[in-house]
Amino acid sequence: MTGWGVGMGKRIVQITVNGDTTEFLCEPRQTLLEVLRNTLELTGTKEGCSNGNCGACTVLMNGLPVVSCLVLAVEAAGAEVRTIEGVARGSHLDEVQSAFLEGAALQCGICTPGFIMQAEALLARNPQPTEEEIRFYLAGNLCRCTGYDKIVRAVQRAAQLRQAAQQNGRS
Amino acid sequence: MAPDVKQRKYQVIGTRPVRHDGVDKVTGRAKYGADQRLAGMLEGAILRSPHAHARIRRIDTTQAQAMPGVRAIVTAADFPEQGDRIVELGEGMANMRHLSANVMAREKVLYKGHAVAAVAADNVHIAQAAAQRIHVEYEVLPAVTDVRAAMREDSLILNEEIRTQAFGSAPASPDAKPTNIAKHFVFELGDLAQGFGSAEVVIEREFDTSTVHQGYIEPHNATVSWNADDRVTVWMSTQGSFTARQQTAELLQIPVSHVKVVPMEIGGGFGGKISVYLPPVAALLSKKTGRPVRLVMSRADVFQGTGPTPGSHMRVKLGVKRDGTIVAGDAWIAFEAGAYTGSPIGPACMCVFSCYNVPNARVEGFDVCVNKPRTSAYRAPGSTHVAFAIETVVDEICSQIGMDPLTFRLKNAAREGIRRVDGPVYGRVGLEETLAAIQASEHYRTPLPGKYQGRGVASGFWFNVGLKSSVSATVNFDGTVTLVEGSTDIGGTRTSIAMQLAETLGIAVEDVTPTVVDTDSVGYTDVTGGSRVTFATGIAAVEAAKDIQRQLVQRAALLWNVDPSAVRYEAGSVWGPQQQCLRFKELAAELPTTGGPIIGRGTSSEATQGGAFATHCVDVEVDPDLAKVTILRYTAAQDVGTAIHPSYVEGQLQGGVVQGIGWALNEEYSYDDQGAMRNPTFLDYRMPTCYDVPMIDTILVEVPDPQHPYGVRGVGEVPICPPPAAIANAIYQAVGVRMRHLPMSPPRLWAELSKNSS
Amino acid sequence: MAAMPRVYIPSTMRTLTGHDIVDVTATNVREAIDELEQRFPGVKAALCAQNRLMPGISVVVDGRIGTLGLWQPLSEDAEVHFVPALGGG
């Protein structure tokens, strides 16, 4: 296995987060969520329930969405992890972020990072999802403020924006 | 010439700008309570009672204290004695003995999840392990978990010092018998016997609702630093930094001015983040260790240790003439306060008949202690319960007399001049407009022919409160304005407040930078709750803008060498007697040489708003085999006064509706016979996901509230009131059964369907 | 008859007053309660604690919750109610 070693009860783990390769020390019982927030100080990923029910801690691991509270940090050894902090390109928001912002798809905002990561995963595999597909794919993320209406519309809008951007890029 | 402002009533109000805190919230930069990290910070854990009702005989912390990495342990013995002091906490009051015992159990535990001891350690894992090694010896007592059982004369008593306090009566003598009935309300209007005597159709029904939780996604948290000078700083998520400050100071019995609360971004509240749980505990741990301490609840702690909204038992009787005129109403309502007194039974009594002209009425209400968590506010506290009862009785009456439910409601609707059961008379309100809006909607006019499909309507009311707010606003020399406020922003209120300031000054909302600051940096501000912020903090912002206008007029008068009375402020400019004009930005640039900075200030202390009404229409489909209810279509019409930022107004309606759908169909605390909650996770406490609901259509009806300069009415709370009743009425249309117990979950609906078919 | 402020008596207090409605000559809420107390002893103890309105009670004057408690002024034809204090979520 690559990327981790043993010492004093803690493990050294190497992962790539938002494009930067980094190493950290962790106990085997620590979750990826805890390490992201407390060790790597990437607090954009939120903790809502610690047992995989709410989706607030969703990040992409090797391109797939995971609830980082159910992934042990040592399991992430060698992985490419993308968090909410790695979505914007420099100071430019990506289409999902812009659509959430302009569509008022957040109220308190605590679930927003998880929804954005899940939506990124959806649009990567299905660039033109139907409303039904969006609702199904986001069903693991709980939002208590918005009633989901504007979140679903924001994902629809993001799909349009991304398609338009790609067409512009091609022409 | 002044710019033409007549084309549109407002320049800023009614537009949909991007919220000021939005970028931080879509990039993960916004700092919420649990994101706080300080040098040398310890982390804590709380040991909670496994029993719903028990006497604490002994707490032994020796083993935990000896663990490496454990820095301090506190129990109730570390908290000051409170006595039976009643303290006003801005929004509501509390008996400090109860508030303190709720934060850390003393003598008895009154619910499973009640805090018993707390540990601070080098990290959270050590703290949690140490908490498990604190040994508590309990004398377990039977749990009292049913509201009617708790009211019986022979019931086991939770709090020996509680005597029934009847509204409008002197406090009961301490010699009176202890009871679980903490409060008793009676409201009467007209002549009830004569009213029912003249009725031609009378329906009386009983209802139950289960305990439900606000379900905010962010758990409670607090990071506290107790400095060597006995000054305490609290970083936390709270709906009200000033009430959090006051509660923390009162619980620790230190001067309120020695506590500074720094409100972090808050991940939802819905009424559940007003009462304080963690700050006093973290404060004592910090005092003992000399280091900052962070406490964060787990989801199970949130469910079991923080206030849900009460379960209830209700009886409602309504009498009408055959032509649909309501002549009399009688209601009996008992709310489970939880461990200590304080359910919203008063407002519930005042809301039960609030949508109607009921000339002869009586309402009786009881606040009853049971071995469940101390309840706290939840979105229109008490109103959803009673709306479920009255609105389904109304629907049944409509079926019986063969009248369209909207026509019936329009005939009897509360309107200006109608006297409520609690006495006062309504001012200008917009219930009729919401009924008419649903009646005219494409949704209501489209037939719903499917088998097992049904449509229901229901209305709801919430008072909306005013309370106190403060803001200050500084004009920067570049022509922008920095707005400082004390209202924590849960749903975009930085922007709705900034828009009112911008409108009044005639500048762009993008030129206003709103900031929510700590309790040392702004005047007293009550909670973000009661649908009050856009209304009351909005008024304060308008006042601050007018204060700026006055000062700008004086500066322009100086520049033009004219009397200030000859200068006027209009449409973002100052105008002189010879039609001289300086735009806001131009004049701002002159400030350094005309007297320096300008700071506008504004406060508001409007105690009440005009009230908000909503009418909802829902289509459902019932699966006859699974007894599962699917929401097919939903439309919510609401009197929103004036929609400042329509997107966020719609969002409040949509969010309230979906919370109401959860309450209607799935959410409940499931208790075992020992009073233990069996489902303290989001997997088993089943809140709606986006796969459970359709788009929520909204109709914003605007009947301006004359008490606000722009006609704002609070919008946040009332949308949760109609959904359970509207869905119950739709279920009846779909499958012919009347549901009278929330939630109308598949097992309960199945039981009713089985009765029908047998 | 000249208009007078009119106090609506809370239901549970009507055993003390024997009336639903009592007209008073007071010019603020404090005076109104004092006047009621003179005529119907016990009223003050039911509404006030330590010279303030009891926590949990609000006074409504002419349809609006007063912000000034006992110092809320009453016009000649004021309508006065005592209602449970309101909060919200």
Side-chain angles (χ1 to χ4, degrees):
Chain A
M1 198 172 283
T2 59
W4 61 284
V6 182
M8 301 298 287
K10 288 198 172 184
R11 304 289 194 278
I12 301 171
V13 176
Q14 190 186 72
I15 63 172
T16 302
V17 181
N18 300 328
D20 294 331
T21 301
T22 186
E23 278 184 353
F24 56 80
L25 269 177
C26 72
E27 296 177 45
R29 64 179 172 187
Q30 285 185 286
T31 63
L32 176 60
L33 172 63
E34 184 181 353
V35 166
L36 285 172
R37 288 177 52 80
N38 285 356
T39 309
L40 302 179
E41 298 187 8
L42 293 168
T43 54
T45 302
K46 301 304 179 192
E47 179 164 11
C49 72
S50 314
N51 55 8
N53 299 152
C54 79
C57 66
T58 302
V59 300
L60 303 187
M61 196 161 106
N62 299 324
L64 292 175
V66 294
V67 276
S68 58
C69 69
L70 294 187
V71 177
L72 290 172
V74 293
E75 289 182 273
E80 290 255 1
V81 173
R82 191 166 172 222
T83 70
I84 186 68
E85 287 90 347
V87 173
R89 293 178 291 266
S91 62
H92 294 283
L93 300 181
D94 95 332
E95 296 85 359
V96 179
Q97 291 172 313
S98 298
F100 269 66
L101 195 56
E102 282 160 20
L106 58 143
Q107 285 178 31
C108 82
I110 196 84
C111 70
T112 308
F115 268 100
I116 288 177
M117 298 318 292
Q118 191 73 20
E120 294 288 354
L122 168 63
L123 296 182
R125 64 160 57 183
N126 180 356
Q128 292 299 317
T130 63
E131 182 188 336
E132 169 83 5
E133 288 167 340
I134 293 170
R135 288 189 180 276
F136 185 74
Y137 204 82
L138 299 182
N141 292 68
L142 291 174
C143 169
R144 193 60 159 171
C145 296
T146 64
Y148 303 106
D149 184 299
K150 293 187 192 306
I151 291 178
V152 173
R153 290 179 200 278
V155 177
Q156 290 172 326
R157 175 78 184 136
Q160 289 168 359
L161 288 172
R162 190 160 287 177
Q163 195 181 37
Q166 280 163 359
Q167 279 164 359
N168 284 345
R170 263 186 243 121
S171 61
Chain B
M1 282 291 291
D4 180 17
V5 293
K6 280 182 187 152
Q7 284 180 334
R8 213 170 69 200
K9 194 171 178 193
Y10 300 120
Q11 297 302 301
V12 179
I13 288 170
T15 64
R16 300 174 188 244
V18 164
R19 63 194 279 176
H20 296 79
D21 54 332
V23 169
D24 280 353
K25 285 178 178 165
V26 298
T27 56
R29 280 196 207 108
K31 292 290 177 214
Y32 292 75
D35 303 338
Q36 180 64 355
R37 235 182 129 71
L38 297 168
M41 185 178 84
L42 300 172
E43 291 181 280
I46 290 184
L47 176 68
R48 294 174 182 276
S49 167
H51 308 294
H53 197 186
R55 212 172 294 284
I56 300 172
R57 285 224 186 95
R58 204 168 68 91
I59 302 177
D60 181 358
T61 60
T62 336
Q63 230 190 352
Q65 194 77 64
M67 286 173 65
V70 171
R71 303 292 174 172
I73 294 177
V74 298
T75 66
D78 296 286
F79 281 80
E81 282 280 357
Q82 295 287 344
D84 278 311
R85 294 189 300 138
I86 306 287
V87 174
E88 286 275 7
L89 296 169
E91 194 211 55
M93 46 152 183
N95 177 321
M96 290 308 298
R97 178 205 294 276
H98 294 161
L99 194 63
S100 179
N102 192 52
V103 165
M104 195 60 76
R106 203 180 271 271
E107 294 151 23
K108 272 172 102 178
V109 289
L110 293 177
Y111 52 95
K112 180 174 183 263
H114 201 156
V116 175
V119 183
D122 290 352
N123 67 48
V124 71
H125 303 287
I126 299 171
Q128 284 168 351
Q132 293 313 312
R133 293 205 199 165
I134 296 172
H135 298 290
V136 185
E137 200 179 304
Y138 293 104
E139 176 194 341
V140 179
L141 302 167
V144 182
T145 55
D146 178 77
V147 65
R148 280 176 291 173
M151 292 175 78
R152 282 202 284 266
E153 278 279 314
D154 59 351
S155 171
L156 195 62
I157 301 298
L158 275 70
N159 299 285
E160 287 295 328
E161 71 284 1
I162 286 185
R163 307 289 178 276
T164 303
Q165 168 72 52
F167 181 80
S169 296
S173 152
D175 301 333
K177 198 169 169 260
T179 172
N180 291 323
I181 303 174
K183 287 182 198 147
H184 180 211
F185 292 88
V186 179
F187 298 95
E188 289 170 309
L189 182 69
D191 184 332
L192 196 72
Q194 191 218 317
F196 276 112
S198 68
E200 290 164 340
V201 177
V202 176
I203 286 187
E204 180 171 13
R205 297 288 178 246
E206 294 196 35
F207 299 88
D208 294 279
T209 69
S210 300
T211 303
V212 297
H213 199 272
Q214 296 85 356
Y216 34 78
I217 305 299
E218 179 204 35
H220 291 258
N221 54 73
T223 305
V224 180
S225 176
W226 189 308
N227 284 3
D229 59 0
D230 286 336
R231 300 275 170 161
V232 176
T233 307
V234 181
W235 294 264
M236 68 184 296
S237 304
T238 173
Q239 287 179 245
S241 50
F242 284 85
T243 185
R245 176 179 76 162
Q246 193 194 348
Q247 291 176 63
T248 303
E250 298 272 8
L251 288 166
L252 298 169
Q253 293 192 349
I254 58 175
V256 77
S257 57
H258 286 198
V259 179
K260 175 167 84 174
V261 172
V262 184
M264 308 293 286
E265 296 301 335
I266 169 173
F270 313 108
K273 287 184 183 156
I274 297 172
S275 203
V276 154
Y277 301 95
L278 298 176
V281 181
L284 289 177
L285 289 169
S286 176
K287 187 182 186 186
K288 279 195 174 184
T289 57
R291 292 165 66 173
V293 175
R294 182 173 75 184
L295 289 174
V296 180
M297 285 194 193
S298 70
R299 180 53 51 182
D301 290 351
V302 173
F303 275 120
Q304 299 178 111
T306 73
T309 202
S312 68
H313 181 78
M314 301 173 284
R315 196 168 64 232
V316 169
K317 181 179 171 188
L318 202 63
V320 302
K321 297 274 195 196
R322 284 241 161 253
D323 70 355
T325 309
I326 296 176
V327 288
D330 190 4
W332 186 98
I333 308 160
F335 271 12
E336 296 174 351
Y340 306 100
T341 173
S343 77
I345 185 66
C349 292
M350 296 156 82
C351 285
V352 61
F353 295 129
S354 55
C355 289
Y356 300 98
N357 177 17
V358 185
N360 305 293
R362 183 173 196 278
V363 183
E364 187 167 14
F366 300 89
D367 183 42
V368 185
C369 296
V370 295
N371 289 116
K372 296 182 180 178
R374 172 180 179 261
T375 55
S376 56
Y378 180 25
R379 207 165 196 156
S383 189
T384 304
H385 303 72
V386 296
F388 174 57
I390 182 70
E391 291 299 281
T392 52
V393 167
V394 162
D395 198 70
E396 209 171 328
I397 283 183
C398 292
S399 299
Q400 194 155 332
I401 63 175
M403 198 163 177
D404 171 79
L406 292 175
T407 310
F408 178 91
R409 284 175 173 82
L410 278 165
K411 187 179 178 75
N412 294 286
R415 58 178 72 89
E416 190 166 6
I418 295 292
R419 190 174 292 285
R420 308 197 316 236
V421 67
D422 52 312
V425 170
Y426 280 115
R428 181 75 176 95
V429 291
L431 172 60
E432 289 169 295
E433 285 83 351
T434 69
L435 289 162
I438 290 293
Q439 208 166 37
S441 69
E442 191 261 334
H443 181 173
Y444 196 71
R445 299 165 79 93
T446 304
L448 181 71
K451 202 180 177 194
Y452 304 120
Q453 295 183 346
R455 174 170 297 157
V457 298
S459 296
F461 166 77
W462 183 246
F463 296 94
N464 296 342
V465 300
L467 302 175
K468 300 171 196 58
S469 288
S470 309
V471 307
S472 65
T474 304
V475 181
N476 299 310
F477 302 148
D478 66 356
T480 63
V481 176
T482 310
L483 172 64
V484 170
E485 58 183 299
S487 292
T488 53
D489 182 353
I490 315 187
T493 54
R494 280 182 183 88
T495 301
S496 68
I497 303 310
M499 288 172 77
Q500 295 178 63
L501 182 97
E503 181 74 43
T504 311
L505 288 177
I507 62 176
V509 70
E510 292 77 12
D511 285 341
V512 181
T513 305
T515 310
V516 178
V517 295
D518 65 64
T519 52
D520 283 355
S521 308
V522 68
Y524 181 87
T525 300
D526 276 310
V527 297
T528 298
S531 305
R532 64 173 290 278
V533 171
T534 300
F535 176 86
T537 309
I539 291 174
V542 171
E543 288 303 314
K546 287 181 180 164
D547 192 15
I548 289 172
Q549 286 184 1
R550 280 189 288 273
Q551 297 177 61
L552 289 174
V553 161
Q554 284 171 351
R555 300 298 175 89
L558 188 73
L559 285 173
W560 293 327
N561 198 21
V562 299
D563 191 84
S565 63
V567 179
R568 70 181 200 284
Y569 193 100
E570 196 179 312
S573 300
V574 282
W575 302 82
Q578 273 90 49
Q579 293 302 304
Q580 309 100 307
C581 174
L582 277 171
R583 307 284 309 165
F584 182 87
K585 263 194 199 322
E586 293 166 339
L587 188 49
E590 304 292 337
L591 295 186
T593 54
T594 57
I598 284 180
I599 298 175
R601 55 181 191 163
T603 62
S604 73
S605 186
E606 296 293 314
T608 188
Q609 306 186 41
F613 288 90
T615 301
H616 293 188
C617 179
V618 61
D619 296 348
V620 304
E621 181 168 304
V622 177
D623 181 324
D625 299 319
L626 300 175
K628 182 180 182 295
V629 177
T630 301
I631 308 291
L632 300 174
R633 187 171 183 186
Y634 206 107
T635 304
Q638 184 173 321
D639 172 15
V640 302
T642 299
I644 299 292
H645 190 309
S647 294
Y648 287 96
V649 172
E650 293 159 5
Q652 287 295 321
L653 271 56
Q654 292 161 338
V657 164
V658 171
Q659 275 189 321
I661 290 173
W663 195 339
L665 294 179
N666 286 103
E667 295 178 32
E668 76 178 304
Y669 277 43
S670 168
Y671 283 101
D672 68 15
D673 54 7
Q674 309 293 306
M677 184 188 187
R678 289 184 288 205
N679 57 336
T681 68
F682 277 144
L683 188 64
D684 300 314
Y685 181 91
R686 184 67 170 75
M687 306 198 314
T689 73
C690 66
Y691 201 59
D692 296 318
V693 292
M695 294 295 186
I696 308 297
D697 295 331
T698 59
I699 303 174
L700 307 185
V701 176
E702 295 189 303
V703 181
D705 184 343
Q707 296 171 76
H708 185 282
Y710 295 117
V712 169
R713 285 182 202 272
V715 298
E717 290 171 289
V718 75
I720 200 175
C721 303
I727 292 168
N729 297 340
I731 289 172
Y732 174 73
Q733 295 299 329
V735 289
V737 297
R738 289 282 177 194
M739 298 300 294
R740 301 195 181 95
H741 194 145
L742 292 182
M744 301 173 283
S745 53
R748 286 210 183 88
L749 182 51
W750 176 249
E752 291 302 317
L753 288 171
S754 309
K755 271 189 221 165
N756 239 26
S757 59
S758 61
Chain C
M1 204 180 94
M4 294 170 85
R6 174 162 278 205
V7 182
Y8 283 67
I9 306 295
S11 304
T12 35
M13 217 161 82
R14 289 176 198 164
T15 48
L16 286 176
T17 61
H19 303 272
D20 303 6
I21 296 170
V22 178
D23 288 342
V24 295
T25 58
T27 58
N28 68 20
V29 172
R30 164 183 291 272
E31 287 176 14
I33 291 175
D34 284 342
E35 209 177 318
L36 290 172
E37 173 69 17
Q38 268 197 336
R39 291 171 62 188
F40 314 106
V43 165
K44 196 164 186 172
L47 292 174
C48 300
Q50 284 132 28
N51 283 319
R52 290 188 189 180
L53 277 178
M54 205 182 278
I57 296 183
S58 293
V59 62
V60 173
V61 177
D62 299 329
R64 296 185 63 177
I65 296 179
T67 49
L68 306 174
L70 293 178
W71 285 269
Q72 192 72 35
L74 302 180
S75 62
E76 279 186 351
D77 56 353
E79 186 180 304
V80 183
H81 297 268
F82 297 97
V83 300
L86 289 168

